[in-house]
Amino acid sequence: ENIMCGIAGYIGKQQAAPIILDGLSKLEYRGYDSAGIAVRNEATDKIAIVKAKGRLKTLIEKTDGGSAVPGTCGIGHTRWATHGGVTNANAHPHKSGNVALIHNGIIENYAELKDKLLKHGYTFYSETDTEVVIKLVDYYYRKYNLGPVDAIAKTMVRVRGSYALELMFRDYPGEI
């Protein structure tokens, strides 16, 4: 199976969104059906997420070349749909609580993990295996009051499949 997605990220002194969008445009040749970015705004202390179906050009227009999404730390993704169709809700990044995530690959046991999370009161807005991963990270992060690395490690013990992940925690500015 050939999964063609692109991941980009930026931490620095410049505005992140234009740099991430430029990085994603360099990965366009890989093929994708939707794109999205998450940027942590230092002024509001929130993570803003913008997604778009179709070409990266749509996301660039939606964010005014990135200038509509201020912040110096962010992540971006071009998605090729595997679990869940091509919709804004299914596009990455996904967010749960104060954590944002991008994922390339496939989570083989996502249905079983989703059932467990539903029992813990989580609700789902997408049809993706990725949203299950971010909710699981959020679960460990909150329930056990773990730091990001420990919450991710605990999650990865439970997850089966092939994946590359990129995460941002609102409580950890300037870190991906």
Side-chain angles (χ1 to χ4, degrees), residues 8-17 19-20 71-75 166 176:
Y10 176 81
I11 303 168
K13 297 196 181 338
Q14 298 178 59
Q15 290 299 299
I19 293 166
I20 294 165
T72 57
C73 176
I75 56 180
E166 186 176 46
I176 295 174

Side-chain angles (χ1 to χ4, degrees), residues 40-41 44-47 95 97-100 141 148 167-175:
R40 187 180 186 284
N41 184 332
T44 63
D45 196 31
K46 288 192 165 57
I47 295 174
K95 193 169 176 254
N98 294 323
V99 191
Y141 183 62
L167 294 98
M168 263 180 16
F169 290 73
R170 195 192 80 195
D171 307 334
Y172 291 80
E175 292 183 31

Side-chain angles (χ1 to χ4, degrees), residues 33-35 51-56 58-59 62 86-89 91:
D33 52 42
S34 58
K51 309 176 188 192
K53 285 190 302 188
R55 307 313 296 163
L56 188 59
T58 309
L59 183 64
K62 212 171 173 179
V86 182
T87 65
N88 278 348

